[in-house]
Amino acid sequence: VVLMGGHLLASHATQNISALHVQLANIHALLGVFGFGVMLIVGVSFQVLPMFYVTPDFSKVLNKGLTFIILTLLSMYAIFTFVDETLLIFVKISLAMILSFYAIESLYRIKKRKRPVKDVTLLFWQSGAVSLIIGLMFWIADTFFETDLSPYSALLIGGGFVLGVIHGMLYKIVPFLVWFHLNGSGYMSIPSITEMIEQKYARLNYYLYFSALLLFSFSFYLSFLVKIAAVVLAMSMLLLQYNLYKVVQIYINTKKTKPDFDMSMMS
């Protein structure tokens, strides 16, 4: 992705746009979104969902083979872009089906979690999975019909799934790391993972983020909404930054105090 991005930038900088520029740009975007963003989340979710939400484990076949299948299909997409349009459509359908299956499996496991506690991070995961499914449907529909759904597809997959799930993971992983390191250092009188972030602020972050997605969607018809959507998204990201900063402050302030237990003997 980095090498292809560098090539595309150099092409624009030198005004040397080749006949294959559009195909390379499509492959670059696909590898960036699916090869990096989606595949990273897929790999992490096999550990994060059972760990934080006590969901049933993913099947061994899915756990061991899904990332390999995605990587194979992406490689085939890159090759067939220059070879055969029919084979390219087959790869797109296969990729959409396998990722939709993963999204449905994720939703099913969240529903079957052993600890049915309501958590704002679940909203990020669930809306992200639904966004992925709808975005993939738009992606395929854009292939067969004379539609212009590709902007919606990119918004739902990149913004709805990748960005949304990253929000949910940050709200779980950062507090867990702070709690884990403080607890391992002998600090027992510390907030729990869920107490480190005020849920009302995390929920507000979700509403702002989701509102930004909706505004960006409508902006394809009402262009003036783009600026409003950008402001709302910026507010959402600033609130995310603030919430995570408060967690880090808990760590910094706690480390300035004396531990409840001296854990140095365990070294």
Side-chain angles (χ1 to χ4, degrees):
V1 170
V2 173
L3 292 174
M4 293 185 71
H7 170 74
L8 294 170
L9 284 172
S11 299
H12 283 288
T14 59
Q15 295 296 310
N16 185 22
I17 307 297
S18 70
L20 299 176
H21 188 85
V22 174
Q23 290 94 324
L24 291 174
N26 289 335
I27 295 171
H28 173 257
L30 194 83
L31 291 178
V33 174
F34 291 106
F36 176 69
V38 173
M39 195 149 61
L40 176 66
I41 291 173
V42 167
V44 172
S45 67
F46 292 146
Q47 298 292 329
V48 169
L49 288 179
M51 178 180 177
F52 289 124
Y53 303 106
V54 199
T55 67
D57 290 332
F58 285 86
S59 66
K60 291 184 177 179
V61 175
L62 203 63
N63 201 331
K64 299 290 185 181
L66 184 57
T67 50
F68 175 77
I69 293 172
I70 295 173
L71 184 61
T72 302
L73 289 172
L74 290 176
S75 301
M76 292 170 66
Y77 184 96
I79 296 170
F80 294 157
T81 297
F82 307 105
V83 177
D84 192 308
E85 183 69 24
T86 304
L87 292 175
L88 186 62
I89 294 173
F90 169 76
V91 171
K92 290 180 70 172
I93 294 173
S94 300
L95 186 60
M97 289 178 62
I98 193 70
L99 288 176
S100 297
F101 176 74
Y102 158 79
I104 294 170
E105 280 284 294
S106 299
L107 291 171
Y108 173 77
R109 275 158 175 71
I110 289 173
K111 184 179 180 180
K112 292 294 183 179
R113 65 191 186 279
K114 297 177 183 178
R115 190 185 299 163
V117 180
K118 289 186 178 180
D119 189 335
V120 66
T121 61
L122 284 171
L123 292 176
F124 283 111
W125 272 98
Q126 290 167 324
S127 61
V130 172
S131 296
L132 178 61
I133 295 171
I134 298 174
L136 291 168
M137 290 172 60
F138 285 172
W139 189 45
I140 296 301
D142 201 42
T143 303
F144 289 99
F145 306 103
E146 299 257 340
T147 62
D148 190 19
L149 294 173
S150 55
Y152 294 99
S153 177
L155 181 65
L156 287 167
I157 298 173
F161 177 67
V162 176
L163 184 59
V165 172
I166 286 175
H167 272 70
M169 287 195 294
L170 285 173
Y171 277 137
K172 279 295 184 182
I173 293 174
V174 175
F176 169 75
L177 290 174
V178 169
W179 177 89
F180 180 80
H181 284 287
L182 288 177
N183 192 264
S185 299
Y187 295 95
M188 302 299 159
S189 303
I190 53 176
S192 65
I193 295 173
T194 54
E195 293 172 340
M196 288 186 185
I197 294 177
E198 291 192 53
Q199 290 301 301
K200 62 180 181 180
Y201 291 138
R203 195 170 292 274
L204 177 59
N205 183 195
Y206 173 78
Y207 292 142
L208 286 172
Y209 145 81
F210 194 75
S211 298
L213 287 183
L214 289 176
L215 288 168
F216 275 122
S217 298
F218 289 121
S219 70
F220 293 124
Y221 299 99
L222 303 171
S223 59
F224 73 91
L225 290 177
V226 171
K227 293 181 180 179
I228 300 174
V231 172
V232 174
L233 181 62
M235 291 170 60
S236 171
M237 300 305 291
L238 287 171
L239 186 56
L240 171 66
Q241 178 71 19
Y242 171 78
N243 288 336
L244 297 179
Y245 170 77
K246 296 293 287 186
V247 178
V248 176
Q249 279 297 108
I250 291 174
Y251 178 83
I252 293 173
N253 293 334
T254 304
K255 290 292 285 185
K256 293 178 181 178
T257 64
K258 186 178 179 181
D260 298 300
F261 297 98
D262 184 8
M263 304 296 287
S264 60
M265 67 180 67
M266 304 298 292
S267 301

